[in-house]
Amino acid sequence: MGSVLHPLLRWHGAALTAAGVALAVVSVLPAVAQEAPGGKGGFFSRSFGGGKEGGDEPGAYVSPSAIPNSSPGDLGVNLPQPLHKLEPIALPNTELGGLPQPELSLPALPAYAPQNSVAANPLARTRRLHLDARLVKDGAKLPSGLVWRLFSPIPGVDGKLALIASAKGGSADFEIPAGSYLMHVGLGRAGVTKRIDIGGPASNEDIVLDAGGLRMNARVGANGAIPPDKLRFDVYSDEVVESDRRLIAGDVDANSVVALNAGSYQIVSHYGDENAEVHGEVKIEAGKVTDVTLQHSAAQLTMKLLRDKGGEAIADTAWQVMTGDGDLVEERVGAFPSMVLAEGNYLVVAKNRDKTYQRDFTVEAGKNADVELLTTDVLPAQDSDQGSGD
């Protein structure tokens, strides 16, 4: 006689097969009566509404406690999962007293077949994976600063690779089931991805990052030092077309070391928050720290509106600084705002109460200075041939 599923499909008694635990699927769609091979009364010969034909017990469905918090495909690979407790629940009889009963509306419970946990299934044992990383081949093992991540090689339903395990520090050890994984190790902005196949009881992987370091600084004028808190750097990829370049590291502090994969990069140095910036190109060699110092042509200017030369600056003054071509560079409000401007010619406009004042000035590289406007010798904008500049 052919095998017939038990009427109550007793989950805890499912037998182990050569591939692991036999999978059982529960459907919540109305069942179509059909005879199981070898006789009547099989699991699929009964509707979910129940019945007494042949002395069968009422049908069953899986209780909500058996539904996992996440779908079994979240990891994208057939990894062992904890065995969930399944609680068959008898459904009410719809033929009480021979009176017709309303159709039972069941919730749309998903079909689910849990996998054995590693501890419960001796066939799914873990393997040990030991990982080391070096900057260059035959170099010293990196003792710290690494971030290790193991991913499933198969994208999940969201199109992303599921994270299996991670670790931080130097060398890393994982206990994971046999199989294939994508391993990524990162050091700062440097990193490498490699496919790893785990088969034997233990595996060792030695990863070469092929990376180095970049330390950036800048000066102004003739060897003038710039305060570190006024410097910041951006590192971009080295595509030929500027619009295609990707930001690799942004707002990097002066004299700090950034780890990068070996190769060429574009760097931008910002002095202050206005228009003083310079560009450069650098090549990173694996296993070495490359020092770069960029040269700025700029200066720090302080704006003042005075009634008398050498007097106190007038408070509550609104300022506009424009290039010689009329492009707005900066707007500030205050008695003596300070700003860093690239070398060149500028127009400054000061407005206080109902009067507006303006004057031209020139910025020379490395020569910090005060830009003073006097209320006695600078004509109000309405009486000037140049206008207010607003």
Side-chain angles (χ1 to χ4, degrees), residues 146-164:
L146 298 169
V147 179
W148 299 92
R149 294 183 178 92
L150 288 178
F151 295 90
S152 162
I154 304 174
V157 293
D158 59 357
K160 299 179 180 179
L161 299 179
L163 178 64
I164 305 299

Side-chain angles (χ1 to χ4, degrees), residues 288-318:
K288 298 181 180 180
V289 175
T290 301
D291 284 289
V292 173
T293 300
L294 298 177
Q295 184 70 37
H296 277 277
S297 294
Q300 183 167 320
L301 287 304
T302 301
M303 311 297 169
K304 296 180 180 180
L305 177 62
L306 309 174
R307 291 186 177 90
D308 301 298
K309 200 167 186 67
E312 292 187 1
I314 301 175
D316 300 324
T317 301

Side-chain angles (χ1 to χ4, degrees), residues 22 53 67 71 89 107 135-136 153 166 189 194 326 332 340 367 380:
E53 181 181 352
I67 303 174
S71 67
I89 299 176
L135 289 176
V136 292
S166 64
R189 299 303 193 277
K194 181 179 179 181
R332 297 283 184 87
V340 177
K367 294 186 177 181

Side-chain angles (χ1 to χ4, degrees), residues 49-52 58 90-96 99 101:
K52 295 185 179 180
L91 301 182
N93 193 336
T94 60
E95 298 180 1
L96 297 177
L99 298 176
Q101 300 293 321

Side-chain angles (χ1 to χ4, degrees), residues 61-278:
Y61 74 97
V62 180
S63 68
S65 65
I67 303 174
N69 292 330
S70 58
S71 67
D74 282 349
L75 296 181
V77 292
N78 190 22
L79 296 179
Q81 299 291 325
L83 181 63
H84 293 263
K85 181 180 179 182
L86 304 180
E87 302 169 357
I89 299 176
L91 301 182
N93 193 336
T94 60
E95 298 180 1
L96 297 177
L99 298 176
Q101 300 293 321
E103 290 188 6
L104 182 63
S105 177
L106 297 178
L109 300 177
Y112 173 66
Q115 303 177 30
N116 274 357
S117 67
V118 173
N121 185 0
L123 299 179
R125 296 175 180 172
T126 60
R127 272 70 170 172
R128 179 176 175 273
L129 173 62
H130 179 80
L131 297 168
D132 292 306
R134 311 169 192 269
L135 289 176
V136 292
K137 187 177 181 180
D138 300 328
K141 295 179 182 178
L142 294 171
S144 61
L146 298 169
V147 179
W148 299 92
R149 294 183 178 92
L150 288 178
F151 295 90
S152 162
I154 304 174
V157 293
D158 59 357
K160 299 179 180 179
L161 299 179
L163 178 64
I164 305 299
S166 64
K168 294 181 179 180
S171 300
D173 292 284
F174 296 102
E175 294 289 337
I176 52 178
S180 295
Y181 300 88
L182 287 179
M183 182 281 305
H184 179 271
V185 57
L187 176 67
R189 299 303 193 277
V192 64
T193 301
K194 181 179 179 181
R195 185 185 182 97
I196 294 179
D197 297 314
I198 308 298
S203 296
N204 296 310
E205 293 287 340
D206 207 348
I207 309 300
V208 177
L209 287 170
D210 190 30
L214 172 63
R215 183 164 44 215
M216 295 171 286
N217 202 350
R219 302 185 72 82
V220 62
N223 301 321
I226 298 176
D229 62 343
K230 290 189 175 296
L231 279 175
R232 58 188 174 88
F233 298 86
D234 297 327
V235 181
Y236 293 88
S237 58
D238 194 37
E239 280 77 13
V240 176
V241 180
E242 185 173 353
S243 60
D244 293 337
R245 294 173 184 167
R246 296 173 291 105
L247 179 64
I248 305 298
D251 290 335
V252 179
D253 293 333
N255 296 315
S256 62
V257 178
V258 182
L260 298 167
N261 289 106
S264 296
Y265 297 88
Q266 297 290 328
I267 56 178
V268 180
S269 173
H270 303 271
Y271 175 20
D273 297 323
E274 288 75 35
N275 65 344
E277 66 176 44
V278 290

